[in-house]
Amino acid sequence: MPELPEVETIVQGLNKTILNKKIKQVKIIYPGIVKWKTANFIKETLGQKIKNIKRRGKNILLMLSQDKAILIHLGMSGHIFYTSPHQTLDKHDHIIFRFTSGKKEIRYNDPRKFGKVKLIDLRCCPDLDKLGVEPLEISEKDFVNLMAKRKGRIKSLLLNQKILAGIGNIYADESLFEAKINPLSKIEQISPAKLKDLHRSIKKVLKKAIRAGGSSIRTYTDLSGNTGRFQLSHKVYAREGESCKICDAKIKRIIVNQRSSHYCPKCQKEN
DNA sequence: AGCTCTTCCTGAAAGC
DNA sequence: TGCTTTCAGGAAGAGC
């Protein structure tokens, strides 16, 4: 599941490989991923230069001009590969971008087809406009104020892209463990001091994950097919039944708002 | 407003 | 062994 650190890693990789390259060919094998009329998408992107590559939440933005960009959201199982054109096509390769320079091409691969690719105008783009603040950019004060305005369970809030953009299930669980907050906790019951802990924890976890090249739980890899290393540092995610690395209690998994949540019942007491 | 359920989709894992 | 069922979850939308 590509979340902020994985997407950030991919964006860094793209900046090293396709920056300033001009799109020579766009092959759409499975049009369902492209949320735009196929012919128009090809017409609008052909001949365009990748002027910059940015991340916003879990979205990858291939900037074609000041206002125009190709937006890629990897969904659950989306991959971007930078590979030789001679490489045999995988059955889940859906889109191919070829460039006027360089020997390799970009392939969008997505077994579960939850991802999307579209051409957007940044002056008016609901996909981006609706997103909340970047968790690595928000100040402690703003974070506490943002939380204070909200009700409901802290876990759901962390997953809500309209409030904080980029955190998914892995980093929500890891951040809550780091801050010693139970995923079921109601926001209004969490003290400002604890919210400050959470703010610090989110940044710490995300930064560490970016440095580790993201988490490879099931299928995530970078552009070259290399796995990340942060899964080795996970303290709760996908560790149900295993021992807490701090207190030795057994890690529990529960469902919070349709999402599985992993936590240590001893370190993260409900208040 | 927030919670729950549903849909999209397929590979992996579990169950029989 | 091999078939069938369940589960995983990012995001959106419906209904409460």
Side-chain angles (χ1 to χ4, degrees):
Chain A
M1 305 117 254
E3 304 177 24
L4 188 153
E6 290 77 32
V7 175
E8 183 66 33
T9 303
I10 292 167
V11 166
Q12 288 173 7
L14 288 171
N15 266 310
K16 284 185 201 142
T17 51
I18 63 163
L19 186 63
N20 290 325
K21 288 205 160 87
K22 201 171 173 185
I23 300 172
K24 183 174 76 177
Q25 190 187 5
V26 181
K27 272 183 88 167
I28 301 179
I29 300 158
Y30 175 80
I33 298 294
V34 183
K35 308 298 177 190
W36 185 275
K37 213 173 155 195
T38 303
N40 290 353
F41 182 85
I42 293 175
K43 201 178 107 203
E44 296 286 332
T45 53
L46 221 54
Q48 299 294 314
K49 195 165 137 188
I50 313 286
K51 297 208 168 119
N52 194 3
I53 299 132
K54 298 198 283 197
R55 178 189 62 73
R56 176 76 175 100
K58 300 175 192 170
N59 298 278
I60 298 164
L61 299 174
L62 306 180
M63 305 296 301
L64 303 179
S65 68
Q66 188 85 9
D67 302 320
K68 218 162 56 166
I70 297 171
L71 178 150
I72 303 174
H73 191 296
L74 298 168
M76 287 290 304
S77 57
H79 285 79
I80 293 178
F81 290 119
Y82 186 57
T83 185
S84 158
H86 305 299
Q87 178 69 240
T88 314
L89 213 60
D90 181 83
K91 68 173 180 175
H92 302 303
D93 283 339
H94 303 312
I95 304 167
I96 301 175
F97 292 96
R98 293 193 172 123
F99 305 94
T100 54
S101 59
K103 290 201 175 85
K104 293 186 176 183
E105 62 189 28
I106 287 289
R107 293 188 186 177
Y108 179 85
N109 179 291
D110 190 354
R112 293 185 210 173
K113 302 191 178 86
F114 277 16
K116 64 182 174 191
V117 174
K118 54 160 78 169
L119 194 67
I120 58 160
D121 188 323
L122 283 108
R123 288 168 298 189
C124 176
C125 176
D127 294 82
L128 300 179
D129 297 344
K130 71 187 173 197
L131 289 178
V133 65
E134 286 291 326
L136 288 174
E137 288 170 16
I138 189 169
S139 71
E140 183 184 83
K141 189 174 156 231
D142 289 347
F143 181 84
V144 173
N145 289 338
L146 187 67
M147 297 290 121
K149 277 191 285 192
R150 292 277 161 177
K151 290 181 176 179
R153 299 207 163 105
I154 187 66
K155 173 65 188 275
S156 325
L157 185 148
L158 292 181
L159 292 180
N160 188 340
Q161 303 301 302
K162 296 184 187 76
I163 299 163
L164 282 172
I167 299 176
N169 216 23
I170 296 174
Y171 298 102
D173 283 2
E174 292 298 322
S175 299
L176 287 173
F177 175 82
E178 187 70 32
K180 300 194 189 305
I181 295 172
N182 188 290
L184 288 168
S185 296
K186 295 277 177 65
I187 297 144
E188 56 269 38
Q189 291 166 352
I190 303 174
S191 69
K194 269 281 180 207
L195 289 177
K196 288 178 186 174
D197 281 347
L198 181 58
H199 173 258
R200 198 179 320 122
S201 299
I202 289 170
K203 294 202 183 206
K204 183 178 163 185
V205 167
L206 291 177
K207 283 180 185 168
K208 196 175 166 194
I210 291 170
R211 281 199 299 275
S215 303
S216 294
I217 285 289
R218 283 181 186 80
T219 59
Y220 168 75
T221 65
D222 69 8
L223 291 188
S224 313
N226 301 315
T227 54
R229 297 175 304 282
F230 193 66
Q231 68 280 5
L232 304 172
S233 302
H234 287 180
K235 292 177 178 155
V236 287
Y237 190 83
R239 294 193 68 242
E240 184 185 12
E242 294 176 35
S243 299
C244 172
K245 296 189 174 179
I246 291 185
C247 77
D248 230 36
K250 292 256 182 294
I251 301 301
K252 281 184 82 172
R253 185 173 75 93
I254 56 170
I255 302 295
V256 182
N257 294 6
Q258 322 302 120
R259 294 278 172 263
S260 62
S261 289
H262 312 74
Y263 72 105
C264 170
K266 212 167 148 190
C267 293
Q268 296 165 271
K269 290 243 194 286
E270 213 180 333
N271 47 337

